[in-house]
Amino acid sequence: MDTGRATPRRHAPRPARRAAAILLTCLPMTATGAEPPTVSLRPGTDIQAAVERHPPGTRFRLEAGIHRLQSIVPKNDNRFEGAPGAVLSGARRLTAFVHRGPVWIARGQTQKGRVNAAEFCRSGFPRCAHPEDLFIDDAPMLHVGSRSAVGPGRWFFDYDADEIVIGDDPTGRIVETSVTPRAFGSTASGVVIQALTIEKYAAPVQAAAVDAEFGPGWTVRNSVLRLNHGVGVNAGNGSRILDNRLLDNGHAGFSGSGTNFLIAGNEIARNGYAGVDFYWEGGGGKITESGGGGLIRGNCVHDNIGAGIWADIDVHQLVIEDNLVFGNADNGITYEISYDGVIRNNRVADNGQRGQGWFWGAQILISSARGVKVYGNDIDVPGGYGNAVTVVSQDRAPYTPAVGNEIFDNRIVIRNTNARIGAVTDVNADNAVVAAGNRLYGNRYHLVELGERVWFWNDAEADWNAIRAQGQEVGGVVNAGIPQKTPLSCPSMAPMDNAR
């Protein structure tokens, strides 16, 4: 016990009629003295003020109801746990409107968050970089670029006039606008967040509602992070992101960097509503600049607008294993301008419908990366789009030419005769180096017909005999006939033990 710490003061109970009361109870004594207190926080309480009044290590229990517009800077070893029905919301309810012709106007809206990456908005999403969102009955509306574009399902924030203009009748509906940029973030260590719904924060693009990047050893578990404009949760050194549901966030479900983090047992789905160009960044989640020890395991990653799982920019020794990755608009799993990854024992299917052709839109893509091992995966390319496993080498020094990658012992079903597996470069001088420096072996294929030229190696298409003539697919097997496709869905999201 830290004997230099003042003994926490016991607070007298507040009257029951006070909705914003703080209830404090001490845990039983231990051999070393009293443990830090548990503080009960009802909706309406200033959570940050409670944190400041109590010592590091205090446990806070958020009671049922909506805790609005809270932004919390934890101390070391703080623990935040939600009672059933506890919600942290970064949004304000809008209840007063002026009806003007086909629109309704909410006045006095002075919030304006940081605009990030405005140049990366997709066509049709002119204000993707503005972090404020408008929700009607929990559904995000499209933020348009002018008052004249407002209509059903569309809204406009007139920042000069401090007015929100909507095109839907708000009568009898719950209308909310996101205001607060972040729910949790600090440099404190050992923070635990669990059993909370954290929603509708005005996090800028590339920023997270829960930011654990700069505080070592945070744990976020058994929580729902949804409808936040930017990213749901950002992992850092020693983070453990476990058994959460990262759903329907505007930019991405997760992000992260640092070392020795664990992202496991989460459902990561339908992220990307804000309209950020997902070829730049977005979708399920991305890891960048990681020095090693990262593990992404046992997640269900599906139907994201963008890639499913993405490692990009100087990531070392990331292990991506035992995940179910399906139905994502771009690549299922991407390992890009990075080193020494392991992608194993995943089930990857039906990704890449909105990929940009060529060798993109793959179930697994190695993009200008070195030393990546892809093995033990169950890979299923759908009938109408997508590629299988591709190595793409471009002029992106120092990561290229992309060599040292091995694709082996995978089961690969190719239902699309235009799909490809292989290695390609857009640097002509590197063709021979890329062909010699990467390996396919021991894979088991299921094709519509045996004569299909689904392989690409040394700047040429190849059938089974031609790819083996180049010394590839030693020990591999090809079968004619496609197995019946089974529907994919996430397993039960019941808590699981994800200890290393």
Side-chain angles (χ1 to χ4, degrees):
M1 180 176 181
D2 182 1
T3 57
R5 234 171 13 203
T7 303
R9 181 182 300 173
R10 296 193 59 148
H11 294 259
R14 303 281 183 128
R17 65 178 181 273
R18 294 284 299 276
I22 302 177
L23 304 179
L24 181 150
T25 58
C26 287
L27 298 174
M29 297 289 288
T30 67
T32 57
E35 292 188 8
T38 294
V39 177
S40 178
L41 305 174
R42 294 174 180 164
T45 303
D46 185 332
I47 298 175
Q48 183 59 43
V51 170
E52 291 171 359
R53 283 196 300 270
H54 292 88
T58 300
R59 301 179 181 185
F60 298 93
R61 175 180 167 88
L62 279 64
E63 300 299 339
I66 301 178
H67 302 252
R68 289 192 183 274
L69 308 180
Q70 304 281 345
S71 187
I72 303 156
V73 180
K75 296 177 180 177
N76 290 345
D77 302 315
N78 277 161
R79 189 181 191 97
F80 301 87
E81 181 173 351
V87 177
L88 271 176
S89 174
R92 173 195 299 137
R93 279 201 68 176
L94 300 179
T95 56
F97 294 91
V98 176
H99 189 192
R100 290 286 184 269
V103 301
W104 289 259
I105 301 169
R107 293 172 171 165
Q109 304 301 308
T110 59
Q111 66 274 15
K112 185 176 182 181
R114 174 166 55 89
V115 175
N116 189 29
E119 67 272 31
F120 295 112
C121 290
R122 299 203 319 270
S123 176
F125 297 87
R127 285 196 156 182
C128 83
H130 288 261
E132 294 80 25
D133 281 316
L134 192 285
F135 305 92
I136 298 181
D137 297 332
D138 278 347
M141 302 292 105
L142 175 62
H143 194 177
V144 296
S146 67
R147 282 180 178 256
S148 61
V150 173
R154 297 168 174 244
W155 73 290
F156 175 69
F157 201 139
D158 189 332
Y159 294 103
D160 294 330
D162 296 338
E163 292 181 345
I164 284 176
V165 184
I166 69 174
D168 296 86
D169 186 348
T171 304
R173 307 181 73 179
I174 297 175
V175 182
E176 299 168 285
T177 183
S178 52
V179 174
T180 306
R182 188 175 71 180
F184 292 96
S186 78
T187 58
S189 63
V191 174
V192 176
I193 300 164
Q194 66 179 30
L196 279 168
T197 294
I198 300 170
E199 66 178 27
K200 301 172 185 166
Y201 276 81
V205 170
Q206 292 191 307
V210 176
D211 189 356
E213 180 177 4
F214 302 106
W218 283 37
T219 296
V220 181
R221 70 186 314 156
N222 297 121
S223 293
V224 177
L225 293 96
R226 67 174 199 139
L227 297 174
N228 303 291
H229 184 84
V231 180
V233 59
N234 185 23
N237 290 332
S239 292
R240 294 169 65 82
I241 313 300
L242 308 175
D243 305 319
N244 304 285
R245 303 187 74 198
L246 311 179
L247 309 176
D248 302 296
N249 295 286
H251 180 206
F254 71 89
S255 58
S257 60
T259 60
N260 299 312
F261 56 81
L262 173 63
I263 300 173
N266 305 283
E267 182 181 9
I268 304 165
R270 302 184 303 275
N271 298 286
Y273 72 75
V276 180
D277 182 354
F278 56 79
Y279 302 123
W280 170 69
E281 182 177 290
K286 178 188 276 193
I287 300 298
T288 59
E289 298 177 328
S290 172
L295 176 59
I296 300 177
R297 182 178 69 195
N299 303 283
C300 185
V301 186
H302 66 95
D303 297 300
N304 294 285
I305 304 174
I309 300 171
W310 192 347
D312 184 26
I313 309 174
D314 205 31
V315 175
H316 294 255
Q317 299 175 340
L318 178 65
V319 177
I320 303 171
E321 66 179 11
D322 298 323
N323 301 283
L324 174 58
V325 183
F326 66 94
N328 299 287
D330 201 13
N331 310 299
I333 300 173
T334 304
Y335 208 92
E336 182 173 4
I337 53 173
S338 295
Y339 301 96
D340 301 326
V342 174
I343 303 171
R344 65 188 176 199
N345 303 331
N346 302 283
R347 188 175 183 189
V348 191
D350 301 343
N351 302 287
Q353 186 172 15
R354 294 166 69 177
Q356 293 180 304
W358 198 48
F359 287 77
W360 313 115
Q363 307 313 300
I364 300 176
L365 169 67
I366 302 169
S367 180
S368 297
R370 294 185 170 197
V372 182
K373 292 181 169 55
V374 178
Y375 63 92
N377 301 285
D378 190 330
I379 298 164
D380 198 318
V381 183
Y385 56 87
N387 286 300
V389 185
T390 56
V391 178
V392 175
S393 182
Q394 298 179 290
D395 186 10
R396 303 180 72 181
Y399 306 97
T400 52
V403 294
N405 303 297
E406 301 179 44
I407 302 164
F408 60 99
D409 291 343
N410 302 284
R411 177 181 181 266
I412 303 173
V413 178
I414 300 181
R415 303 173 189 273
N416 171 11
T417 58
N418 293 316
R420 293 291 177 265
I421 179 169
V424 64
T425 177
D426 57 10
V427 180
N428 291 335
D430 288 346
N431 275 318
V433 175
V434 170
N438 296 286
R439 296 182 61 205
L440 296 170
Y441 58 95
N443 296 294
R444 304 175 305 283
Y445 297 91
H446 295 267
L447 308 180
V448 175
E449 297 179 356
L450 291 179
E452 291 176 20
R453 301 170 71 180
V454 300
W455 294 270
F456 194 95
W457 214 260
N458 205 6
D459 200 30
E461 293 181 347
D463 62 13
W464 180 246
N465 291 330
I467 193 67
R468 286 172 61 84
Q470 296 189 58
Q472 301 296 331
E473 280 306 349
V474 174
V477 176
V478 63
N479 301 283
I482 300 295
Q484 183 176 355
K485 197 176 189 71
T486 57
L488 297 175
S489 62
C490 293
S492 170
M493 296 304 295
M496 56 187 287
D497 180 6
N498 282 303
R500 289 184 184 271

